[in-house]
Amino acid sequence: DKDNSIRFEPLIIEYREQYFPTLSIQVVRRFLDLSWGEIKVERKNGIRIGNTRIPMDNNGALLINYYGPLGSFPYLSYKEVMENPTAVDQCEDKIVLIGVTVAALHDQWKTPFDKQLPGVEKHANIISNILDGRFLSRPWYMGWVEAFSPAILGIVLTFLFPRLTQRKYLLLTIITLAGIGVLSYLAFAYLNLWFKPFFSFLFIILLLPGLFLAGKSAEPINSRHESDVTGATGITSPERGGSLTLSGDEPGKITDRIGRYIIQEEIGRGAMGVVYKALDPNINRTLVIKTIQFDKLYESGQVRQLKERFFSEAEAAGRLSHPNIVTIYDAGEEAGYSYIAMEYVEGRDLSHFTQGGNLMRIRKVAEVMASVCDALDYAHRENIVHRDIKPANIMIIKDGRVKVMDFGIAKLPSSHLTQTGTVIGTPSYMSPEQVRGAALDGRSDIFSVGVVLYELATGDKPFKGDNISAVMFQITEREFIPPQKLNGAIPNGFVNILDKALKKKPEDRYQTSAELARDLTRFSMEI
């Protein structure tokens, strides 16, 4: 065959309109004591020898059903026989093939089971196939089955894709691949049918990238990260016109305007509220409106103080002007809702790149997070701490630039929420001092950057637990699993950066984001 393996063996040779048997047929005929008249050549059905029909291909060859690698049949060495003549007694009533097994004498053959199978054992396999009636079969329709099965599987998986989440679709694909493999093995082992699953495997594997490129099309909109939708596309929007509401059971409604901004569509929901794509008619600018209903999220005694803090933080964040920070244009109140208006950008947030099949190259991780650190260093010098750095709050936009989102709203507390089970903020990315409720500075964001670096490099979080308390305990008291155990391709230089960024004590970490940015940039240039 094309890979130089022996899978077929001619049983007859046609010469001048006559058929001549090869060694295996001759041996079987003599062993069964058959006359030549008891051997029939049937072009379509193979060879009939006695009562046994041997299937052949169009070239008169048998598809060999190997019993295994070298040693599947017993051997007697020349030396054994010469030193102990009685050894041949065990050959009584057996077929004995005499040949060489020394590689230098060039009777060695590559098979699917062994790279060097002596010719005598190859013939032993063929003869035993005939005597045992143990034939591999490839019916005429098998080629059609192999050709059309990938298309059928593709249609089924494509039909099911819109109805399943990414995780379920991936699980279904893995089960399908495993099922094809198991069925082809069972057909081979028990039915002696040879089905080639290669093209089915190849087709499904090539279909997989569509799963990740299509995005989370089967997820309900209210399960998306609030920050994912700043520039997300392909999200189902509510019908234009009429009023837009935050939820079906909320009495307050937002009309088709928030302040002077014209609502165009709802593009996401999160723990804080609803996110809209809107238009500023005064300057014909598209932007994003994020709404917060404090009365629903916090206890009544906190609302006034929190609103004052919110507008103060939004005002401070609005003064930030950096190419890697999403710009805040405005903040206000409308119909009981507080809102913040910010730059509309299109792209993909980093949570997409924390999944096993989508991990970025380590060099790219360093380059992206160096840009994030540049933005944070600028904000820290303006005395603004982000407090919620996580993959979902970092976006790579269409032109390749990196944007940090949600400055101005991340400082809102999450400890006194009135809605059971609602959590604002992401505990997995908090620094130890943030978990303890201590005063925060820019070094808290540096710890969060370290967590994001770890997750982008390994596809896993450094601090995990079954509940929030367990996660917080891991953050404050436990060390993370060495990242090279999860991804052996991570260089030592990157591990050193992680170690310093994730120190439990702020004074042991990088003291400024600029320092971390410099180390990441230097690493990306050296790797």
Side-chain angles (χ1 to χ4, degrees), residues 160-207:
L160 289 174
F161 174 62
R163 293 163 171 77
L164 300 175
T165 62
Q166 277 187 318
R167 184 174 297 177
K168 289 182 180 178
Y169 180 87
L170 182 60
L171 180 62
L172 174 64
T173 303
I174 293 172
I175 291 173
T176 303
L177 289 171
I180 294 172
V182 170
L183 287 175
S184 62
Y185 170 77
L186 293 177
F188 183 89
Y190 296 100
L191 301 178
N192 293 321
L193 284 174
W194 186 24
F195 172 78
K196 300 177 183 178
F198 172 77
F199 291 107
S200 297
F201 285 157
L202 180 64
F203 186 87
I204 294 174
I205 291 170
L206 291 177
L207 194 66

Side-chain angles (χ1 to χ4, degrees), residues 351-362:
S351 62
H352 172 80
F353 300 101
T354 60
Q355 302 168 13
N358 295 333
L359 296 184
M360 293 187 288
R361 293 182 181 274
I362 299 298

Side-chain angles (χ1 to χ4, degrees), residues 32-288:
L32 298 179
D33 195 23
L34 299 176
S35 68
W36 285 116
E38 294 177 275
I39 300 177
K40 303 289 184 183
V41 177
E42 303 171 353
R43 284 187 176 273
K44 291 186 177 181
N45 297 320
I47 296 179
R48 186 172 295 279
I49 180 166
N51 295 322
T52 302
R53 187 183 69 81
I54 307 171
M56 296 189 305
D57 65 7
N58 292 332
N59 298 315
L62 170 73
L63 179 59
I64 306 172
N65 192 355
Y66 286 99
Y67 288 76
L70 174 67
S72 297
F73 292 85
Y75 280 79
L76 276 177
S77 72
Y78 172 79
K79 183 179 180 181
E80 281 183 271
V81 175
M82 293 302 293
E83 293 181 351
N84 181 18
T86 60
V88 298
D89 293 345
Q90 59 185 291
C91 300
E92 189 175 356
D93 296 325
K94 301 288 191 303
I95 295 174
V96 179
L97 301 176
I98 301 175
V100 296
T101 58
V102 180
L105 296 178
H106 305 295
D107 190 25
Q108 305 283 322
W109 305 94
K110 180 183 177 184
T111 74
F113 289 93
D114 206 299
K115 291 183 178 180
Q116 290 185 317
L117 188 74
V120 287
E121 189 158 352
K122 181 193 70 171
H123 285 294
N125 276 277
I126 299 166
I127 293 167
S128 286
N129 283 174
I130 298 171
L131 293 175
D132 297 342
R134 187 175 181 266
F135 305 115
L136 278 178
S137 176
R138 274 186 61 80
W140 63 270
Y141 55 80
M142 192 60 74
W144 292 98
V145 172
E146 291 166 354
F148 282 101
S149 57
I152 295 171
L153 288 169
I155 291 170
V156 172
L157 291 175
T158 303
F159 175 76
L160 289 174
F161 174 62
R163 293 163 171 77
L164 300 175
T165 62
Q166 277 187 318
R167 184 174 297 177
K168 289 182 180 178
Y169 180 87
L170 182 60
L171 180 62
L172 174 64
T173 303
I174 293 172
I175 291 173
T176 303
L177 289 171
I180 294 172
V182 170
L183 287 175
S184 62
Y185 170 77
L186 293 177
F188 183 89
Y190 296 100
L191 301 178
N192 293 321
L193 284 174
W194 186 24
F195 172 78
K196 300 177 183 178
F198 172 77
F199 291 107
S200 297
F201 285 157
L202 180 64
F203 186 87
I204 294 174
I205 291 170
L206 291 177
L207 194 66
L208 277 178
L211 164 68
F212 302 105
L213 292 175
K216 302 177 182 178
S217 61
E219 293 184 17
I221 194 168
N222 60 358
S223 69
R224 296 175 182 268
H225 293 294
E226 178 182 315
S227 54
D228 287 350
V229 299
T230 303
T233 57
I235 301 174
T236 305
S237 63
E239 295 181 358
R240 298 280 183 90
S243 61
L244 301 176
T245 64
L246 287 178
S247 68
D249 59 352
E250 290 177 351
K253 291 185 178 181
I254 294 178
T255 63
D256 57 357
R257 284 179 179 264
I258 298 180
R260 72 172 187 272
Y261 305 110
I262 300 172
I263 298 298
Q264 293 183 322
E265 58 180 323
E266 177 186 319
I267 56 175
R269 292 173 181 259
M272 299 290 287
V274 182
V275 187
Y276 300 103
K277 182 181 178 182
L279 178 71
D280 185 344
N282 291 353
I283 54 176
N284 196 32
R285 176 168 60 192
T286 300
L287 42 76
V288 168

Side-chain angles (χ1 to χ4, degrees), residues 226 272 290 292 294 306-320 325-331 338-342 376 379 383-389 393 404-413 445:
E226 178 182 315
M272 299 290 287
K290 293 194 174 186
I292 304 171
F294 284 94
L306 290 175
K307 281 186 179 182
E308 290 177 357
R309 185 191 300 180
F310 167 71
F311 288 116
S312 174
E313 289 289 319
E315 180 183 356
R319 293 196 295 269
L320 296 177
I325 295 177
V326 171
T327 305
I328 293 177
Y329 299 131
D330 190 15
S338 301
Y339 67 86
I340 188 167
M342 61 184 67
L376 290 174
N383 296 316
I384 296 177
V385 182
H386 190 288
R387 291 176 171 79
D388 196 20
I389 291 295
N393 276 340
V404 181
M405 302 181 289
D406 276 4
F407 275 99
I409 62 174
K411 193 173 182 179
L412 296 175
D445 284 344

Side-chain angles (χ1 to χ4, degrees), residues 12-21 41 43:
I12 55 171
I13 301 295
E14 186 177 5
Y15 179 69
R16 292 187 178 181
E17 299 183 354
Q18 294 188 59
Y19 292 116
F20 293 85
V41 177
R43 284 187 176 273

